[in-house]
Amino acid sequence: MKTERKLEKQARTVRSGYLYILSLALSASRDTAKMDLNMDSNAPHSMGTTIIGVTYNGGVVLGADSRTSTGMYVANRASDKITQLTDNVYVCRSGSAADSQVVSDYVRYFLHQHTIQLGQPATVKVAANLIRLLSYNNKNMLETGLIVGGWDKYEGGKIFGIPLGGTLIEQPFAIGGSGSSYLYGFFDQAWKEGMTKDEAEQLVVKAVSLAIARDGASGGVVRTVVINSEGVTRNFYPGDKLQLWHEELEPQNSLLDILNSPTPEPMNI
Amino acid sequence: MHALHLFIFTRRPRPSSSHVFCWKSDVSSSYGSTLRYKNVERMKPIGKHSLLGASGEISDFQEILRYLDELILYDNMWDDGNSLGPKEVHNYLTRVMYNRRNKFNPLWNSLVLGGVKNGQKYLGTVSMIGVNFEDNHVATGFGNHLARPILRQEWHENLSFEDGVRLLEKCMRVLLYRDRSAINKLQIAKITEEGMTISQPYSLKTYWEFSAFENPTQGAVGSW
């Protein structure tokens, strides 16, 4: 129908965020309108976000940016992409917001039951395998890349990457989302085994910050979650408090402050 | 995510009927053109007698391993002294792959299955569309184009294990030079009647010091 087609054109898939545009609800049952119209379908599908998980000597640190975009618009500049599954296991979400949310919800539900039946906290491996099951068995419909990280008493801190097809891969560190393209070289150089908690967290913050600098689909604040035997700590690094990179300038309140300062910069006329 | 990688297998029978196989794969898994994971084991032992190697979609390979796990488990539960050998496992995989292909929902892998049972050696391959056959040497992906011609020339019935390794390394080096999705980190597996071993990942030396490489366009205007 003509109206349906018109609405579908306007509908957008929401990338890693919470806000649903009304037209989404109005369009056909399974909305798969893509915002990137000029993509080669054989290339890997890029996903808005930067997500990271690293293991350190004693636990894991998960990190993510906070930008949710729908097309070129930033729907949410302060989203929380690091989602709790159990007391000791969290997941970083990237790709389609809807898909990553629904997968997280299902897995949280299953893990809750599993924990009751088991009588003790679920292991990171079990959580990761549940995510894998959903991702793999629905691979034709889902578009979400996830990084599962946590701590359990059997294996300590563990990170599992579950990219688009539903492959499960345990790694000492994992990166995902569209911003991760800019971090492969960085981690090749900066990653080392057996870091301390602070070293690991600083690495994650630096990495997300670098990705934000170059990836349009990543931005906002850096959120981190540290999980170890002692528990879980959430941290928040606001965008304006991050280190400045190449060609980035010190933020000012106004031009007037610069002009009125004791050593004014000469103006270009 | 794909690993469009090579597998090469050679086999050689020894007079005392303890047959030796060796095969190689690299440990990489790509995501489009990015060499994303550099430590993925793409060769796995199956039961007592076989080894499975795969290229293609790793999530489908992981699922195949689960199917085979179940197959071997049920076989062991008979507890009748019999065990599934490479021929049987290859047949099972062929059926699985072909049936999925018929449903237009293939497992996106090229598989190589080899092993030794009761002194008999076996080396076979199955593709994602169910094409299957056995041969003295098989490969997946680029290996078919680059390695098998070398193997056709240089493989023979009486290869020693050391010669087999050297031959495979020769092939892998060519693939390293000429396959974009290859990385210089590979494993070799050896299968005999007694058992199988898979080596730790290691790297090969490569040669770049040809004078033609240093000055490829001497005399030409422009650098091409």
Side-chain angles (χ1 to χ4, degrees):
Chain A
M1 273 205 306
K2 252 201 210 152
T3 29
E4 238 183 89
R5 202 154 297 158
K6 208 176 177 189
L7 286 165
E8 262 200 82
K9 256 200 182 162
Q10 291 166 8
R12 301 254 181 267
T13 33
V14 177
R15 303 265 170 223
S16 48
Y18 307 113
L19 188 65
Y20 289 87
I21 294 191
L22 197 59
S23 53
L24 262 176
L26 294 169
S27 70
S29 51
R30 196 156 37 93
D31 163 61
T32 50
K34 295 280 181 264
M35 54 191 194
D36 299 298
L37 303 161
N38 303 320
M39 269 178 42
D40 169 26
S41 49
N42 292 325
H45 207 110
S46 103
M47 295 182 279
T49 304
T50 307
I51 51 173
I52 301 179
V54 326
T55 56
Y56 71 89
N57 182 17
V60 299
V61 180
L62 300 176
D65 73 308
S66 71
R67 175 171 289 186
T68 303
S69 31
T70 60
M72 283 291 138
Y73 176 65
V74 178
N76 187 349
R77 64 181 172 103
S79 25
D80 184 5
K81 303 179 188 183
I82 310 178
T83 302
Q84 184 181 27
L85 296 178
T86 68
D87 289 341
N88 55 318
V89 182
Y90 280 65
V91 62
C92 294
R93 302 180 293 108
S94 77
S96 158
D99 289 350
S100 64
Q101 284 172 8
V102 80
V103 168
S104 302
D105 282 345
Y106 267 115
V107 172
R108 192 180 314 115
Y109 168 68
F110 294 139
L111 280 173
H112 186 209
Q113 295 192 352
H114 172 64
T115 305
I116 291 167
Q117 290 173 341
L118 199 62
Q120 58 185 41
T123 59
V124 190
K125 193 186 276 194
V126 165
N129 270 105
L130 287 169
I131 299 258
R132 180 202 75 91
L133 271 175
L134 286 170
S135 287
Y136 180 76
N137 291 324
N138 297 294
K139 65 159 78 185
N140 295 325
M141 291 182 285
L142 292 174
E143 195 196 286
T144 174
L146 301 153
I147 296 178
V148 178
W151 185 96
D152 60 59
K153 70 183 185 194
Y154 297 105
E155 306 228 47
K158 283 282 181 211
I159 293 285
F160 291 90
I162 303 146
L164 238 40
T167 311
L168 176 77
I169 178 151
E170 204 233 298
Q171 302 167 87
F173 71 89
I175 55 178
S178 58
S180 68
S181 307
Y182 308 99
L183 297 176
Y184 285 99
F186 173 70
F187 271 92
D188 276 349
Q189 185 226 43
W191 161 262
K192 45 191 196 354
E193 197 72 46
M195 287 187 286
T196 65
K197 177 170 75 112
D198 291 330
E199 282 177 330
E201 189 162 9
Q202 285 318 303
L203 183 69
V204 168
V205 173
K206 189 171 181 183
V208 179
S209 171
L210 281 166
I212 288 173
R214 290 291 185 176
D215 179 31
S218 302
V221 308
V222 180
R223 295 192 197 276
T224 63
V225 172
V226 184
I227 313 173
N228 52 35
S229 57
E230 283 148 38
V232 178
T233 316
R234 279 192 157 279
N235 290 313
F236 173 80
Y237 298 86
D240 54 338
K241 296 287 185 303
L242 299 169
Q243 189 181 348
L244 288 172
W245 304 115
H246 182 52
E247 285 180 330
E248 288 184 340
L249 299 171
E250 198 64 55
Q252 309 282 349
N253 281 325
S254 164
L255 175 67
L256 305 171
D257 291 343
I258 303 172
L259 294 173
N260 295 334
S261 74
T263 54
E265 293 282 310
M267 278 182 75
N268 277 328
I269 301 170
Chain B
M1 160 201 5
H2 282 240
L4 301 159
H5 288 108
L6 142 96
F7 261 110
I8 336 176
F9 305 88
T10 58
R11 54 184 192 172
R12 92 157 170 135
R14 246 205 233 139
S16 60
S17 82
S18 71
H19 302 284
V20 187
F21 264 88
C22 68
W23 56 9
K24 274 175 149 20
S25 85
D26 75 8
V27 290
S28 137
S29 174
S30 308
Y31 187 74
S33 60
T34 302
L35 306 171
R36 191 165 183 185
Y37 301 107
K38 293 193 178 180
N39 206 11
V40 181
E41 293 223 3
R42 299 188 295 115
M43 303 196 290
K44 294 285 179 185
I46 309 292
K48 288 204 291 257
H49 305 285
S50 326
L51 192 70
L52 174 68
S55 74
E57 174 61 43
I58 297 297
S59 64
D60 286 344
F61 176 54
Q62 289 180 344
E63 197 70 3
I64 289 169
L65 290 175
R66 278 166 197 270
Y67 288 149
L68 289 174
D69 226 7
E70 194 179 54
L71 183 75
I72 299 293
L73 180 70
Y74 276 87
D75 183 48
N76 289 340
M77 278 164 62
W78 284 103
D79 197 23
D80 57 4
N82 280 321
S83 50
L84 291 172
K87 240 190 213 326
E88 291 84 58
V89 178
H90 184 230
N91 177 253
Y92 172 79
L93 288 171
T94 302
R95 291 297 101 221
V96 169
M97 300 300 273
Y98 184 60
N99 273 280
R100 286 288 296 257
R101 166 263 191 193
N102 286 342
K103 295 194 277 191
F104 280 91
N105 182 208
L107 290 161
W108 207 281
N109 295 109
S110 290
L111 302 171
V112 180
L113 198 292
V116 184
K117 186 180 167 189
N118 297 334
Q120 294 274 41
K121 60 195 183 304
Y122 185 87
L123 181 62
T125 178
V126 198
S127 76
M128 67 186 256
I129 55 171
V131 173
N132 71 99
F133 55 90
E134 49 169 303
D135 207 337
N136 293 323
H137 46 81
V138 294
T140 65
F142 262 68
N144 281 307
H145 299 108
L146 298 173
R148 292 202 68 206
I150 300 174
L151 293 166
R152 281 185 206 115
Q153 298 273 32
E154 302 191 22
W155 183 89
H156 59 85
E157 287 282 312
N158 300 312
L159 276 174
S160 66
F161 174 67
E162 290 71 28
D163 284 343
V165 171
R166 260 178 239 121
L167 186 53
L168 285 177
E169 285 179 341
K170 183 176 183 178
C171 295
M172 288 305 271
R173 194 174 286 106
V174 173
L175 285 154
L176 200 50
Y177 289 141
R178 298 294 181 173
D179 179 0
R180 259 174 50 163
S181 56
I183 62 167
N184 194 358
K185 196 171 170 194
L186 44 131
Q187 290 179 298
I188 183 170
K190 174 184 181 182
I191 312 156
T192 61
E193 184 70 44
E194 291 79 52
M196 61 187 103
T197 49
I198 305 179
S199 75
Q200 283 294 88
Y202 71 101
S203 290
L204 286 172
K205 287 200 177 153
T206 54
Y207 192 68
W208 300 91
E209 255 118 282
F210 294 107
S211 58
F213 283 10
E214 290 183 55
N215 282 310
T217 50
Q218 200 158 34
V221 180
S223 67
W224 59 91

